[in-house]
Amino acid sequence: MNLINGREKKIGRNDPCWCGSGKKYKVCHEEFDRKIDMARLAGHIVPARKLIKTPEQIALIKESAKVNVECLDVVADKICAGMSTEEINDIINEVCKKHGAIPAPLNYCGFPKSVCTSINDAVCHGIPSKDEILMDGDIINVDCSTILNGYYSDSSRMFCIGDVDPEMKKLVDVCKECVELGLKEVKPWGFLGDMGQVINDHAKANGYSVVREIGGHGVGLEFHEDPWVGYTTKRGTDMLMAPGMMFTIEPMLNAGEPDVFEDSENNWTIYTEDGSPSAQWEIQVLVTETGHEVIAW
Ligand code: MF3
Ligand code: CO
């Protein structure tokens, strides 16, 4: 007996596996289901089957991720003081067009542009504009999300423009370290909270706060899938990680207080309440049989 989303489903051990591999259940996901059932009975949150990507889906998502990474590589190459954030938007459009890809943010819930560009105290969801010019000393997050053949990829990087104050540079570096430390916790049969806790601990140890309201997400078949991925969670809590799950790790660290507010004019851009600078890095990661694989960064 297997309990899937609380419903009983019987699959014979010699029947084809539910994952679509064509293999017999007993040599495919039987052991997987046993572990999921045990975790559920122990009171843990477990992933639904639809969150488990097949090898075919993973291959297609990786193709999308190649375009995603190329977008950010080209931005990395060209970004400089004096450039407008609209020009970053142009780069994303160009690279996507070249590959027949679609920028996922464009028209997503009414978002007007193809990429999010968030400078200094902008935490995330900044909207590119020809009137917004990058200045020496700015830190900027460029958050790129890509659709290729219907498959989604999502990653973001920070860029330091010219001569950046060492305090701000440290914020950017520590945020990246948080993602790297969190990534080490991504392995099958661990918990999302293991990752959340190390990120929060590292941020706090450096005197920074972590934004609570906005988090990562499952990704691949859709832009935003379950689970929601927070960074104020505790080890051993939150969703169980199982092979085939794919999600983003995208903590936002503030130099000051964690409180944020939304721009009341564009209803998108999030800023720190106290005006302190904020940094974010985002990676897309797959849980594998033995650990994890970075899909986009
Ligand atoms: N890339 C953002 C994320 O990580 C997407 C924000 S929605 C947008 O989830 F419309 F602003 F792009
Ligand atoms: Co994301």
Side-chain angles (χ1 to χ4, degrees), residues 14-60:
N14 290 313
D15 288 345
C17 187
W18 54 260
C19 78
S21 64
K23 286 192 226 162
K24 287 185 179 176
Y25 180 54
K26 65 182 178 190
V27 295
C28 200
H29 276 85
E30 186 184 41
E31 173 70 5
F32 175 103
D33 280 345
R34 199 182 57 77
K35 286 182 174 148
I36 295 271
D37 287 350
M38 270 170 46
R40 186 192 291 102
L41 288 169
H44 294 296
I45 304 165
V46 298
R49 278 182 183 169
K50 65 167 191 256
L51 300 186
I52 309 304
K53 268 78 178 168
T54 66
E56 291 75 21
Q57 289 168 338
I58 292 164
L60 290 159

mmCIF file of all heavy atoms in Angstrom, residues 14-60:
data_model
loop_
_atom_site.group_PDB
_atom_site.id
_atom_site.type_symbol
_atom_site.label_atom_id
_atom_site.label_comp_id
_atom_site.label_asym_id
_atom_site.label_seq_id
_atom_site.Cartn_x
_atom_site.Cartn_y
_atom_site.Cartn_z
ATOM 1 N N ASN A 14 5.251 -5.604 -9.897
ATOM 2 C CA ASN A 14 5.711 -5.854 -11.270
ATOM 3 C C ASN A 14 5.055 -4.929 -12.296
ATOM 4 O O ASN A 14 5.327 -5.018 -13.484
ATOM 5 C CB ASN A 14 5.454 -7.311 -11.652
ATOM 6 C CG ASN A 14 6.394 -8.230 -10.883
ATOM 7 O OD1 ASN A 14 7.594 -7.955 -10.816
ATOM 8 N ND2 ASN A 14 5.869 -9.275 -10.279
ATOM 9 N N ASP A 15 4.194 -4.031 -11.798
ATOM 10 C CA ASP A 15 3.555 -3.058 -12.706
ATOM 11 C C ASP A 15 4.576 -1.997 -13.115
ATOM 12 O O ASP A 15 5.579 -1.803 -12.435
ATOM 13 C CB ASP A 15 2.382 -2.356 -12.000
ATOM 14 C CG ASP A 15 1.190 -3.290 -11.816
ATOM 15 O OD1 ASP A 15 1.174 -4.355 -12.471
ATOM 16 O OD2 ASP A 15 0.309 -2.953 -11.007
ATOM 17 N N PRO A 16 4.302 -1.295 -14.208
ATOM 18 C CA PRO A 16 5.190 -0.186 -14.574
ATOM 19 C C PRO A 16 5.160 0.899 -13.501
ATOM 20 O O PRO A 16 4.100 1.151 -12.923
ATOM 21 C CB PRO A 16 4.599 0.351 -15.887
ATOM 22 C CG PRO A 16 3.495 -0.549 -16.274
ATOM 23 C CD PRO A 16 3.181 -1.476 -15.143
ATOM 24 N N CYS A 17 6.300 1.474 -13.229
ATOM 25 C CA CYS A 17 6.395 2.503 -12.181
ATOM 26 C C CYS A 17 5.576 3.734 -12.554
ATOM 27 O O CYS A 17 5.451 4.078 -13.728
ATOM 28 C CB CYS A 17 7.849 2.909 -11.959
ATOM 29 S SG CYS A 17 8.047 4.020 -10.550
ATOM 30 N N TRP A 18 5.076 4.424 -11.550
ATOM 31 C CA TRP A 18 4.272 5.639 -11.773
ATOM 32 C C TRP A 18 5.082 6.773 -12.371
ATOM 33 O O TRP A 18 4.527 7.726 -12.897
ATOM 34 C CB TRP A 18 3.605 6.106 -10.470
ATOM 35 C CG TRP A 18 4.523 6.314 -9.286
ATOM 36 C CD1 TRP A 18 4.728 5.445 -8.250
ATOM 37 C CD2 TRP A 18 5.366 7.443 -9.008
ATOM 38 N NE1 TRP A 18 5.636 5.966 -7.340
ATOM 39 C CE2 TRP A 18 6.034 7.191 -7.783
ATOM 40 C CE3 TRP A 18 5.619 8.656 -9.655
ATOM 41 C CZ2 TRP A 18 6.947 8.090 -7.210
ATOM 42 C CZ3 TRP A 18 6.532 9.551 -9.082
ATOM 43 C CH2 TRP A 18 7.175 9.258 -7.883
ATOM 44 N N CYS A 19 6.413 6.671 -12.310
ATOM 45 C CA CYS A 19 7.225 7.811 -12.760
ATOM 46 C C CYS A 19 7.347 7.869 -14.272
ATOM 47 O O CYS A 19 7.837 8.860 -14.812
ATOM 48 C CB CYS A 19 8.607 7.768 -12.126
ATOM 49 S SG CYS A 19 9.717 6.587 -12.899
ATOM 50 N N GLY A 20 6.910 6.809 -14.954
ATOM 51 C CA GLY A 20 6.970 6.841 -16.416
ATOM 52 C C GLY A 20 8.278 6.309 -16.976
ATOM 53 O O GLY A 20 8.526 6.394 -18.183
ATOM 54 N N SER A 21 9.114 5.723 -16.117
ATOM 55 C CA SER A 21 10.409 5.218 -16.588
ATOM 56 C C SER A 21 10.242 3.982 -17.473
ATOM 57 O O SER A 21 11.144 3.628 -18.225
ATOM 58 C CB SER A 21 11.297 4.847 -15.396
ATOM 59 O OG SER A 21 10.709 3.771 -14.681
ATOM 60 N N GLY A 22 9.086 3.307 -17.329
ATOM 61 C CA GLY A 22 8.871 2.057 -18.052
ATOM 62 C C GLY A 22 9.428 0.863 -17.286
ATOM 63 O O GLY A 22 9.200 -0.294 -17.652
ATOM 64 N N LYS A 23 10.158 1.148 -16.204
ATOM 65 C CA LYS A 23 10.711 0.051 -15.393
ATOM 66 C C LYS A 23 9.629 -0.494 -14.458
ATOM 67 O O LYS A 23 8.646 0.175 -14.169
ATOM 68 C CB LYS A 23 11.866 0.576 -14.529
ATOM 69 C CG LYS A 23 13.128 0.855 -15.303
ATOM 70 C CD LYS A 23 14.260 1.071 -14.317
ATOM 71 C CE LYS A 23 15.082 2.282 -14.683
ATOM 72 N NZ LYS A 23 15.900 2.794 -13.607
ATOM 73 N N LYS A 24 9.867 -1.720 -13.961
ATOM 74 C CA LYS A 24 8.944 -2.281 -12.976
ATOM 75 C C LYS A 24 9.028 -1.461 -11.688
ATOM 76 O O LYS A 24 10.111 -1.033 -11.279
ATOM 77 C CB LYS A 24 9.304 -3.749 -12.674
ATOM 78 C CG LYS A 24 8.927 -4.657 -13.828
ATOM 79 C CD LYS A 24 9.168 -6.114 -13.514
ATOM 80 C CE LYS A 24 8.739 -6.936 -14.718
ATOM 81 N NZ LYS A 24 9.011 -8.355 -14.561
ATOM 82 N N TYR A 25 7.854 -1.320 -11.067
ATOM 83 C CA TYR A 25 7.769 -0.527 -9.836
ATOM 84 C C TYR A 25 8.798 -0.983 -8.807
ATOM 85 O O TYR A 25 9.475 -0.178 -8.178
ATOM 86 C CB TYR A 25 6.343 -0.618 -9.287
ATOM 87 C CG TYR A 25 6.101 0.142 -8.014
ATOM 88 C CD1 TYR A 25 6.419 1.499 -7.927
ATOM 89 C CD2 TYR A 25 5.560 -0.477 -6.895
ATOM 90 C CE1 TYR A 25 6.188 2.212 -6.765
ATOM 91 C CE2 TYR A 25 5.323 0.226 -5.725
ATOM 92 C CZ TYR A 25 5.649 1.570 -5.666
ATOM 93 O OH TYR A 25 5.413 2.269 -4.505
ATOM 94 N N LYS A 26 8.953 -2.305 -8.658
ATOM 95 C CA LYS A 26 9.819 -2.830 -7.578
ATOM 96 C C LYS A 26 11.292 -2.446 -7.757
ATOM 97 O O LYS A 26 12.025 -2.362 -6.786
ATOM 98 C CB LYS A 26 9.673 -4.359 -7.441
ATOM 99 C CG LYS A 26 10.165 -5.149 -8.639
ATOM 100 C CD LYS A 26 9.942 -6.647 -8.433
ATOM 101 C CE LYS A 26 10.391 -7.409 -9.658
ATOM 102 N NZ LYS A 26 9.988 -8.811 -9.625
ATOM 103 N N VAL A 27 11.703 -2.206 -8.992
ATOM 104 C CA VAL A 27 13.107 -1.801 -9.183
ATOM 105 C C VAL A 27 13.207 -0.289 -9.412
ATOM 106 O O VAL A 27 14.301 0.237 -9.644
ATOM 107 C CB VAL A 27 13.786 -2.547 -10.355
ATOM 108 C CG1 VAL A 27 13.883 -4.024 -10.065
ATOM 109 C CG2 VAL A 27 13.066 -2.280 -11.683
ATOM 110 N N CYS A 28 12.079 0.392 -9.364
ATOM 111 C CA CYS A 28 12.112 1.836 -9.615
ATOM 112 C C CYS A 28 11.764 2.606 -8.327
ATOM 113 O O CYS A 28 12.612 2.724 -7.452
ATOM 114 C CB CYS A 28 11.177 2.176 -10.774
ATOM 115 S SG CYS A 28 11.538 3.768 -11.534
ATOM 116 N N HIS A 29 10.525 3.063 -8.184
ATOM 117 C CA HIS A 29 10.208 3.948 -7.062
ATOM 118 C C HIS A 29 9.572 3.253 -5.849
ATOM 119 O O HIS A 29 9.023 3.934 -4.984
ATOM 120 C CB HIS A 29 9.315 5.092 -7.533
ATOM 121 C CG HIS A 29 10.081 6.235 -8.138
ATOM 122 N ND1 HIS A 29 10.458 6.270 -9.461
ATOM 123 C CD2 HIS A 29 10.581 7.374 -7.600
ATOM 124 C CE1 HIS A 29 11.128 7.384 -9.704
ATOM 125 N NE2 HIS A 29 11.217 8.076 -8.602
ATOM 126 N N GLU A 30 9.647 1.934 -5.750
ATOM 127 C CA GLU A 30 9.030 1.283 -4.590
ATOM 128 C C GLU A 30 9.721 1.706 -3.294
ATOM 129 O O GLU A 30 9.075 2.106 -2.311
ATOM 130 C CB GLU A 30 9.071 -0.245 -4.710
ATOM 131 C CG GLU A 30 8.293 -0.898 -3.573
ATOM 132 C CD GLU A 30 8.386 -2.417 -3.580
ATOM 133 O OE1 GLU A 30 9.475 -2.970 -3.828
ATOM 134 O OE2 GLU A 30 7.347 -3.057 -3.337
ATOM 135 N N GLU A 31 11.028 1.652 -3.306
ATOM 136 C CA GLU A 31 11.816 2.026 -2.127
ATOM 137 C C GLU A 31 11.612 3.517 -1.797
ATOM 138 O O GLU A 31 11.474 3.908 -0.626
ATOM 139 C CB GLU A 31 13.298 1.721 -2.421
ATOM 140 C CG GLU A 31 14.297 2.184 -1.382
ATOM 141 C CD GLU A 31 14.222 1.393 -0.084
ATOM 142 O OE1 GLU A 31 13.441 0.411 -0.023
ATOM 143 O OE2 GLU A 31 14.904 1.784 0.874
ATOM 144 N N PHE A 32 11.571 4.307 -2.857
ATOM 145 C CA PHE A 32 11.310 5.751 -2.739
ATOM 146 C C PHE A 32 9.978 5.971 -2.007
ATOM 147 O O PHE A 32 9.904 6.717 -1.029
ATOM 148 C CB PHE A 32 11.263 6.327 -4.164
ATOM 149 C CG PHE A 32 10.896 7.772 -4.290
ATOM 150 C CD1 PHE A 32 11.872 8.731 -4.525
ATOM 151 C CD2 PHE A 32 9.569 8.183 -4.240
ATOM 152 C CE1 PHE A 32 11.542 10.064 -4.680
ATOM 153 C CE2 PHE A 32 9.227 9.517 -4.392
ATOM 154 C CZ PHE A 32 10.212 10.455 -4.609
ATOM 155 N N ASP A 33 8.931 5.300 -2.465
ATOM 156 C CA ASP A 33 7.606 5.471 -1.848
ATOM 157 C C ASP A 33 7.602 5.019 -0.398
ATOM 158 O O ASP A 33 6.930 5.615 0.449
ATOM 159 C CB ASP A 33 6.551 4.663 -2.636
ATOM 160 C CG ASP A 33 6.109 5.394 -3.900
ATOM 161 O OD1 ASP A 33 6.392 6.601 -4.020
ATOM 162 O OD2 ASP A 33 5.486 4.749 -4.764
ATOM 163 N N ARG A 34 8.381 3.983 -0.114
ATOM 164 C CA ARG A 34 8.438 3.487 1.264
ATOM 165 C C ARG A 34 9.021 4.580 2.180
ATOM 166 O O ARG A 34 8.525 4.847 3.270
ATOM 167 C CB ARG A 34 9.303 2.218 1.323
ATOM 168 C CG ARG A 34 9.089 1.363 2.567
ATOM 169 C CD ARG A 34 10.018 0.155 2.580
ATOM 170 N NE ARG A 34 11.432 0.523 2.485
ATOM 171 C CZ ARG A 34 12.151 1.013 3.497
ATOM 172 N NH1 ARG A 34 11.604 1.187 4.685
ATOM 173 N NH2 ARG A 34 13.415 1.339 3.326
ATOM 174 N N LYS A 35 10.082 5.230 1.689
ATOM 175 C CA LYS A 35 10.701 6.299 2.492
ATOM 176 C C LYS A 35 9.754 7.482 2.664
ATOM 177 O O LYS A 35 9.683 8.080 3.740
ATOM 178 C CB LYS A 35 11.989 6.759 1.818
ATOM 179 C CG LYS A 35 13.121 5.762 1.973
ATOM 180 C CD LYS A 35 14.395 6.283 1.340
ATOM 181 C CE LYS A 35 15.565 5.374 1.621
ATOM 182 N NZ LYS A 35 16.537 5.367 0.537
ATOM 183 N N ILE A 36 9.046 7.809 1.582
ATOM 184 C CA ILE A 36 8.090 8.926 1.655
ATOM 185 C C ILE A 36 6.989 8.597 2.665
ATOM 186 O O ILE A 36 6.625 9.423 3.502
ATOM 187 C CB ILE A 36 7.471 9.191 0.251
ATOM 188 C CG1 ILE A 36 8.544 9.665 -0.736
ATOM 189 C CG2 ILE A 36 6.276 10.144 0.339
ATOM 190 C CD1 ILE A 36 8.780 11.144 -0.802
ATOM 191 N N ASP A 37 6.480 7.367 2.593
ATOM 192 C CA ASP A 37 5.400 6.963 3.509
ATOM 193 C C ASP A 37 5.867 7.016 4.964
ATOM 194 O O ASP A 37 5.141 7.470 5.847
ATOM 195 C CB ASP A 37 4.924 5.534 3.181
ATOM 196 C CG ASP A 37 4.117 5.489 1.895
ATOM 197 O OD1 ASP A 37 3.772 6.570 1.388
ATOM 198 O OD2 ASP A 37 3.843 4.379 1.403
ATOM 199 N N MET A 38 7.092 6.557 5.187
ATOM 200 C CA MET A 38 7.613 6.564 6.550
ATOM 201 C C MET A 38 7.729 7.988 7.083
ATOM 202 O O MET A 38 7.380 8.263 8.225
ATOM 203 C CB MET A 38 8.986 5.884 6.600
ATOM 204 C CG MET A 38 8.873 4.386 6.855
ATOM 205 S SD MET A 38 10.444 3.532 6.632
ATOM 206 C CE MET A 38 11.590 4.573 7.497
ATOM 207 N N ALA A 39 8.232 8.877 6.221
ATOM 208 C CA ALA A 39 8.382 10.275 6.644
ATOM 209 C C ALA A 39 7.018 10.897 6.923
ATOM 210 O O ALA A 39 6.848 11.634 7.899
ATOM 211 C CB ALA A 39 9.116 11.075 5.564
ATOM 212 N N ARG A 40 6.040 10.574 6.074
ATOM 213 C CA ARG A 40 4.702 11.137 6.295
ATOM 214 C C ARG A 40 4.119 10.648 7.613
ATOM 215 O O ARG A 40 3.572 11.423 8.395
ATOM 216 C CB ARG A 40 3.762 10.770 5.143
ATOM 217 C CG ARG A 40 2.405 11.470 5.301
ATOM 218 C CD ARG A 40 1.333 10.956 4.385
ATOM 219 N NE ARG A 40 1.553 11.283 2.994
ATOM 220 C CZ ARG A 40 2.015 10.448 2.088
ATOM 221 N NH1 ARG A 40 2.342 9.206 2.431
ATOM 222 N NH2 ARG A 40 2.165 10.813 0.851
ATOM 223 N N LEU A 41 4.309 9.344 7.859
ATOM 224 C CA LEU A 41 3.782 8.782 9.117
ATOM 225 C C LEU A 41 4.475 9.396 10.326
ATOM 226 O O LEU A 41 3.898 9.494 11.399
ATOM 227 C CB LEU A 41 3.940 7.257 9.113
ATOM 228 C CG LEU A 41 2.972 6.536 8.164
ATOM 229 C CD1 LEU A 41 3.355 5.063 8.015
ATOM 230 C CD2 LEU A 41 1.529 6.669 8.637
ATOM 231 N N ALA A 42 5.718 9.817 10.130
ATOM 232 C CA ALA A 42 6.448 10.459 11.230
ATOM 233 C C ALA A 42 6.058 11.926 11.378
ATOM 234 O O ALA A 42 6.601 12.644 12.216
ATOM 235 C CB ALA A 42 7.957 10.330 10.990
ATOM 236 N N GLY A 43 5.134 12.376 10.519
ATOM 237 C CA GLY A 43 4.621 13.740 10.664
ATOM 238 C C GLY A 43 5.295 14.783 9.794
ATOM 239 O O GLY A 43 5.056 15.977 9.967
ATOM 240 N N HIS A 44 6.151 14.342 8.868
ATOM 241 C CA HIS A 44 6.848 15.310 8.015
ATOM 242 C C HIS A 44 6.015 15.710 6.800
ATOM 243 O O HIS A 44 5.127 14.971 6.354
ATOM 244 C CB HIS A 44 8.179 14.732 7.533
ATOM 245 C CG HIS A 44 9.159 14.519 8.636
ATOM 246 N ND1 HIS A 44 9.667 15.562 9.380
ATOM 247 C CD2 HIS A 44 9.729 13.387 9.132
ATOM 248 C CE1 HIS A 44 10.498 15.086 10.285
ATOM 249 N NE2 HIS A 44 10.551 13.763 10.173
ATOM 250 N N ILE A 45 6.347 16.874 6.249
ATOM 251 C CA ILE A 45 5.749 17.309 4.983
ATOM 252 C C ILE A 45 6.536 16.598 3.882
ATOM 253 O O ILE A 45 7.772 16.612 3.885
ATOM 254 C CB ILE A 45 5.893 18.839 4.798
ATOM 255 C CG1 ILE A 45 5.292 19.592 5.981
ATOM 256 C CG2 ILE A 45 5.267 19.289 3.478
ATOM 257 C CD1 ILE A 45 5.711 21.058 6.049
ATOM 258 N N VAL A 46 5.823 15.942 2.962
ATOM 259 C CA VAL A 46 6.518 15.203 1.899
ATOM 260 C C VAL A 46 6.087 15.730 0.532
ATOM 261 O O VAL A 46 4.989 16.264 0.384
ATOM 262 C CB VAL A 46 6.231 13.681 1.998
ATOM 263 C CG1 VAL A 46 6.739 13.127 3.317
ATOM 264 C CG2 VAL A 46 4.758 13.380 1.818
ATOM 265 N N PRO A 47 6.959 15.593 -0.471
ATOM 266 C CA PRO A 47 6.605 16.104 -1.798
ATOM 267 C C PRO A 47 5.544 15.238 -2.482
ATOM 268 O O PRO A 47 5.588 14.007 -2.388
ATOM 269 C CB PRO A 47 7.929 16.043 -2.565
ATOM 270 C CG PRO A 47 8.727 14.988 -1.874
ATOM 271 C CD PRO A 47 8.320 15.031 -0.428
ATOM 272 N N ALA A 48 4.613 15.892 -3.177
ATOM 273 C CA ALA A 48 3.650 15.168 -4.010
ATOM 274 C C ALA A 48 4.395 14.607 -5.224
ATOM 275 O O ALA A 48 5.449 15.131 -5.617
ATOM 276 C CB ALA A 48 2.541 16.115 -4.463
ATOM 277 N N ARG A 49 3.833 13.582 -5.834
ATOM 278 C CA ARG A 49 4.501 12.955 -6.982
ATOM 279 C C ARG A 49 4.754 13.919 -8.119
ATOM 280 O O ARG A 49 5.747 13.798 -8.841
ATOM 281 C CB ARG A 49 3.656 11.797 -7.506
ATOM 282 C CG ARG A 49 3.854 10.536 -6.710
ATOM 283 C CD ARG A 49 3.036 9.416 -7.301
ATOM 284 N NE ARG A 49 3.190 8.226 -6.491
ATOM 285 C CZ ARG A 49 2.437 7.143 -6.632
ATOM 286 N NH1 ARG A 49 1.474 7.112 -7.546
ATOM 287 N NH2 ARG A 49 2.656 6.099 -5.881
ATOM 288 N N LYS A 50 3.880 14.895 -8.273
ATOM 289 C CA LYS A 50 4.056 15.820 -9.400
ATOM 290 C C LYS A 50 5.303 16.707 -9.241
ATOM 291 O O LYS A 50 5.743 17.332 -10.210
ATOM 292 C CB LYS A 50 2.799 16.669 -9.619
ATOM 293 C CG LYS A 50 2.472 17.624 -8.488
ATOM 294 C CD LYS A 50 1.407 18.623 -8.946
ATOM 295 C CE LYS A 50 1.229 19.754 -7.968
ATOM 296 N NZ LYS A 50 0.072 19.717 -7.119
ATOM 297 N N LEU A 51 5.876 16.724 -8.051
ATOM 298 C CA LEU A 51 7.096 17.510 -7.851
ATOM 299 C C LEU A 51 8.350 16.717 -8.215
ATOM 300 O O LEU A 51 9.459 17.243 -8.193
ATOM 301 C CB LEU A 51 7.196 17.993 -6.406
ATOM 302 C CG LEU A 51 6.053 18.875 -5.906
ATOM 303 C CD1 LEU A 51 6.365 19.398 -4.506
ATOM 304 C CD2 LEU A 51 5.787 20.039 -6.856
ATOM 305 N N ILE A 52 8.175 15.443 -8.521
ATOM 306 C CA ILE A 52 9.316 14.593 -8.859
ATOM 307 C C ILE A 52 9.494 14.598 -10.378
ATOM 308 O O ILE A 52 8.660 14.062 -11.106
ATOM 309 C CB ILE A 52 9.103 13.150 -8.338
ATOM 310 C CG1 ILE A 52 8.721 13.157 -6.840
ATOM 311 C CG2 ILE A 52 10.343 12.282 -8.599
ATOM 312 C CD1 ILE A 52 9.693 13.859 -5.916
ATOM 313 N N LYS A 53 10.563 15.218 -10.839
ATOM 314 C CA LYS A 53 10.808 15.337 -12.279
ATOM 315 C C LYS A 53 11.349 14.027 -12.852
ATOM 316 O O LYS A 53 12.147 13.346 -12.218
ATOM 317 C CB LYS A 53 11.817 16.455 -12.556
ATOM 318 C CG LYS A 53 11.217 17.826 -12.830
ATOM 319 C CD LYS A 53 10.777 18.529 -11.610
ATOM 320 C CE LYS A 53 10.219 19.902 -11.892
ATOM 321 N NZ LYS A 53 9.539 20.439 -10.710
ATOM 322 N N THR A 54 10.924 13.736 -14.075
ATOM 323 C CA THR A 54 11.443 12.559 -14.770
ATOM 324 C C THR A 54 12.763 12.940 -15.458
ATOM 325 O O THR A 54 13.024 14.125 -15.691
ATOM 326 C CB THR A 54 10.462 12.092 -15.854
ATOM 327 O OG1 THR A 54 10.396 13.102 -16.872
ATOM 328 C CG2 THR A 54 9.071 11.858 -15.293
ATOM 329 N N PRO A 55 13.572 11.935 -15.817
ATOM 330 C CA PRO A 55 14.829 12.242 -16.525
ATOM 331 C C PRO A 55 14.591 13.049 -17.805
ATOM 332 O O PRO A 55 15.385 13.933 -18.132
ATOM 333 C CB PRO A 55 15.399 10.854 -16.838
ATOM 334 C CG PRO A 55 14.842 9.972 -15.769
ATOM 335 C CD PRO A 55 13.459 10.507 -15.478
ATOM 336 N N GLU A 56 13.492 12.770 -18.507
ATOM 337 C CA GLU A 56 13.185 13.515 -19.743
ATOM 338 C C GLU A 56 12.908 14.978 -19.419
ATOM 339 O O GLU A 56 13.407 15.873 -20.100
ATOM 340 C CB GLU A 56 11.963 12.911 -20.455
ATOM 341 C CG GLU A 56 12.188 11.536 -21.061
ATOM 342 C CD GLU A 56 12.221 10.410 -20.022
ATOM 343 O OE1 GLU A 56 11.693 10.595 -18.894
ATOM 344 O OE2 GLU A 56 12.806 9.349 -20.323
ATOM 345 N N GLN A 57 12.119 15.201 -18.402
ATOM 346 C CA GLN A 57 11.821 16.588 -18.008
ATOM 347 C C GLN A 57 13.097 17.308 -17.585
ATOM 348 O O GLN A 57 13.326 18.462 -17.959
ATOM 349 C CB GLN A 57 10.802 16.607 -16.846
ATOM 350 C CG GLN A 57 9.400 16.198 -17.274
ATOM 351 C CD GLN A 57 8.486 15.942 -16.088
ATOM 352 O OE1 GLN A 57 8.945 15.673 -14.966
ATOM 353 N NE2 GLN A 57 7.195 15.996 -16.333
ATOM 354 N N ILE A 58 13.931 16.604 -16.822
ATOM 355 C CA ILE A 58 15.171 17.217 -16.338
ATOM 356 C C ILE A 58 16.051 17.631 -17.530
ATOM 357 O O ILE A 58 16.613 18.727 -17.548
ATOM 358 C CB ILE A 58 15.917 16.253 -15.385
ATOM 359 C CG1 ILE A 58 15.120 16.088 -14.087
ATOM 360 C CG2 ILE A 58 17.336 16.744 -15.091
ATOM 361 C CD1 ILE A 58 15.520 14.895 -13.231
ATOM 362 N N ALA A 59 16.114 16.766 -18.527
ATOM 363 C CA ALA A 59 16.927 17.079 -19.716
ATOM 364 C C ALA A 59 16.409 18.340 -20.409
ATOM 365 O O ALA A 59 17.198 19.200 -20.829
ATOM 366 C CB ALA A 59 16.920 15.894 -20.676
ATOM 367 N N LEU A 60 15.095 18.475 -20.497
ATOM 368 C CA LEU A 60 14.514 19.645 -21.167
ATOM 369 C C LEU A 60 14.688 20.918 -20.329
ATOM 370 O O LEU A 60 14.934 21.999 -20.863
ATOM 371 C CB LEU A 60 13.040 19.380 -21.482
ATOM 372 C CG LEU A 60 12.843 18.329 -22.598
ATOM 373 C CD1 LEU A 60 11.456 17.715 -22.552
ATOM 374 C CD2 LEU A 60 13.133 18.934 -23.963
#
